Amino acid sequence: MPTRIPHPLTQFVVKMHSRCDLACDHCYVYEHADTSWRARPKVVADEILAKTAERIGEHAAAHRLSAVRVVLHGGEPLLAGPDRLRRAAETLRAALPDGCALDLRIHTNGVLLGRAFCDLFAELGVKVGVSLDGDRAANDRHRRFADGRTSHPQVLRAVALLREPAYRHLYAGLLCTIDVENDPVAVYRALAELEPPAVDFLLPHATWDEPPKRPSGQGPTPYAQWLLAVHRLWETDGRPFAVRTFESVHRTLRGLSSLTESLGLEPSDLAVVETDGTFEQADSLKTAYDGAPVTGLDVFRHSIDDLARHPGIAARQSGLAGLSATCRACPVVRSCGGGLYAHRYRGDDGAGFDHPSVYCGDLMTLINGISSDSSDSFDRGGTAPVPAQAGEREPVRPHPLTAGHLDEFARGYGGAEALTALGDAQLALTREMLAAAWDSSGRGRGDAWALLAALDVVAPAAVDAVLAHPYARTWAARRLGGDLGAGLGPLASLAAAAAVRAGRGDSVAVPVRGGWLHLPTLGRLALPDGEAVVTGLPEGLEVRAADGTVRTELDAPLRQVRLAGGWTVALEDVDPLRDSHDHAVAGRLSEGELADWTGALREAWELIGRDLPAYAEGIRTGLTTVTPLRPGPAGRDVSSAARQAYGAVAIARPATAPTLALLLAHEFQHVKLGALLDLYDLYERADDRLYFAPWRPDPRPLEALLQGTYAHLAVTEYWGTRTLAYDGLAGEPAERARAQFALWRRYTAEAVERLAESQALTVLGVRFAEGMRESLVPWLAVPLPAAAEQEAERARAVRLASA
C-alpha cells in the first residue's frame, strides 16, 4: 500500500519557457550550480501542459483542496507567446474539480509586457508579478540585457500599464533581490512610488560553499541591517503595501503561520514542472549543486502524490524535526525556521543541508530587530490575527476544512462537519499561540508548561477541553502583542484546569490575584492572594492556599444551560479574560438573572430552529459560550464577537427572545468569518480604501464591509422566514417582518455587489462573494407589497440620518 502523504501540495510553478531575454548575473537558473536548463526544450509542449493540468486536478480532487496556486514561470514566460499562455490558463482551469479555485499568476521581468498581454491576462484572470530591484542604479547593477543595456525603462513601462485602472486588479506586486551595496532607502522609495500591492525583498541565493557577499565596513549582518532600514521606513509609512518577509516575522512572533517557505516552520507545499514535464523541487535548490532539485519523476509516469512522497519534498515538510541541532536550540527558530532550505547547503562536510542558513546571523538580527522595532499590538486594534497578505500565499497550509466546507460557509451556513473542522483549526491556532507566547517569555521549561505538555500526551482530551475554551488564548494574544503585564498566571490556570479534568493527581502552582483563583472551563474560588497549589484528583480537586487552607469545591462554578435537543451552552460570567469584547461585561449573575437567561436562551434556541433552520446545526456545533454584557445605553441592544474568542458571543440580554435569537445568529456569523479569515486570505490586505456599507453613513475598511455583509445574510434569512410565515396575514407583526425583510435583503444584496466590484477580493474571496450572492437569490425573488418596500426606504433614511 502506498505511503500516505503528510501534506498535499498546493502551489505549482509551471515553466513556460526555459530561456530569458535578460542576462541577470544573480539569476539562480542560469548563473548558479545547476545547468540542467541547457538540455531542456525552450518552450513547454501542449501535451505537457495538458498532463500537468490533469495531475494538478487529480491531486486537488483526491485531497479536496479548496484552492491551488499556479505560477507561470521561466526563464521568461512571456517568451512562450500569448497563444500558449492562453492554452495553459484554460487547460489548468478546466482540469480542476468543482469547488477548487485556481489562483493563476505569472512572474515576468516585464520587458515584453504590453497592452496585448495585459488584455489577455485580464480575460483569463492572471495576476502579474514583476521583478524590479529598485531605482535605475540599483536595477542596472544586475538586471541588464546580455549586451549590457539597461532594462529599467521597459520594466517601468510594464508597471505603469499594470497601474492603469483597467489592469490594476492584475498587479500582484514586485520582487526585489537585495544587494547590500544598493541604498535601502532609495530602493524602498523607488518601489513605493510604483504603488505595488506587495513587494517581496529576497535574499540573494547563496550556500556555505558559495556564501553571499559581505562588503567590508558593513558589519557581520549587512542583510539584516539593510532589511531593518526598509522595515523602519515601511512602518513609518503605515505599511503601504504587503511585505511577505516582514509580515511573516510579525506573524510567527505571534504564533501564526509564515507566508513564505524561507521563514517559519510550516511545511513546504510547492513543486515545479519544467518545460520537459519533469517534476522538480523548489527552483532555489539550483543554487546548491548541479542536479539538486532533481526528483527523477515526471508528469507522464508519476502523480503529484508520488512527488509529495519524494524524500526531498518530505525534508522540506518536516518542521522543527528537520532542522539542524543548532537551529532546534535557537530561541528564534519558530520565526526563522532555519531559513530557506537551499541556503543551508554545505558540500564539503558530507552533512548537506543539515546546517543553519548561511544567513543565520542576519536572520536572527532581523527577527530580533523587527520584534523590538514593532509597536503594533497582536491584533492591530484588538480584533484579529493578521491574515495572509495580498499578493502572496493563500493560507492553504493543511487544515481540516475542505472545499465543500468553504462553499457552505460562503453561503452563510456551515453544518456540523464544517463547524467541527473550523473548531479543530482554531484549536490548533490556540496551541500555536500558547507555544509562541511561552517561548517568548524566556522562562525555560516551567512547571505549568511542563504539566500541560505531559498531560497532552497522557490525557489529550482534558487539554483539548480547556484549550478549546473561547478565552484560553486571550493571554497569549495579549502577551504576544507586547503586553508584558499579562504575566504567566493564566498559563498556570490553564494547566491547573487540565489537571483537574484529567484527575491523575498532578499538581501545579497558580498565582492568586485579587482574591480569586480561576480555573478556565470550571469556575473560580475565593482565596487569599499569593500562590495556591491545585491538584487534580479522581474525585475532583484539591486547592491548598497560601495560608494553608485546603479547599475542595468552587465558590462560583461555570454554569451550563441545557437547551432542547441536548445542546449545552456555557454562561461565562467568571473568566477574568472574558473582557476581550468591545463592551463591558456583566459580573457574576444572581440566581434570578441566571433563571432569566436560562429561559431566554431556551426560547431563543427554539426560535432559531424554527426561523433559521439552515443555521441551527452550525450554531449548535460551534457556539459553546454566551458571555453576558452590561446593558447598553438607553436600553439599546448590545452584542459582540471577539476575534480571539472563537466559540463565544457576548450579549446584553435583550427584552425579547426573538431579539436574542437574532443577536445569537448575527454574532455567530462574525465568529465564523473571523475564524475563516485566520485560514484564508479573502481580500487584498494592501487595499487601504474605505467602502460605504449600505447600513452606515461612514466609510469602513473592506474587512468591516465583509463582516457586516456576512452577518446580515443571517438577518435577511431570519426576516425572510418570518415574512413567509406571515404570508396572507395582516397586522403589525406581519407588516414589521415584511418591512425588515425588504430593508435587510436590499442592504445585503447591495453590499455583496459592492464587495464583488471592489477588485480587492482574492480568488477565494470572489468565490466567497459568489456564495453569498447565491444565498440571497431565493430571498430576492420573494414578492413584497409596495408598502413594505416604502417602509424599508423610510427606515433606511432614518437609520442613516440618526447614525
Side-chain angles (χ1 to χ4, degrees), residues 16 38 88 145 156 243 252 323 392 477 502 530 560 677 706 773:
M16 299 299 300
R38 299 179 186 276
F145 289 96
L156 290 188
V243 178
T252 53
L323 300 182
E392 296 309 333
Q560 307 279 343
L677 289 171
L706 178 60
R773 184 187 288 118

Side-chain angles (χ1 to χ4, degrees), residues 11 69 71 103-107 127-130 168-175 196-200 241-244 247 259-260 387-395 681-687 759-763:
Q11 299 191 83
R69 171 172 289 184
V71 180
D103 182 358
L104 186 58
R105 300 177 180 237
I106 192 165
H107 185 76
K127 291 197 171 184
V128 184
V130 178
R168 176 75 192 187
H169 64 291
L170 304 178
Y171 191 9
L174 304 172
L175 268 74
V199 175
D200 250 353
F241 43 79
V243 178
R244 189 163 55 164
E247 294 289 358
L259 306 174
T260 169
Q389 300 303 298
E392 296 309 333
R393 294 181 60 184
E394 302 287 357
D681 186 11
L682 299 182
Y683 64 95
E684 304 286 4
R685 288 192 68 248
D687 182 84
Q759 296 188 342
L761 300 180
T762 63
V763 172

Side-chain angles (χ1 to χ4, degrees), residues 435-482:
W438 176 249
D439 283 352
S440 70
S441 71
R443 295 294 294 272
R445 180 176 172 80
D447 292 342
W449 185 254
L451 178 57
L452 268 178
L455 290 174
D456 205 23
V457 175
V458 298
V463 176
D464 283 351
V466 174
L467 299 191
H469 186 58
Y471 305 110
R473 75 177 185 226
T474 303
W475 163 78
R478 293 176 181 177
R479 188 161 185 92
L480 290 168

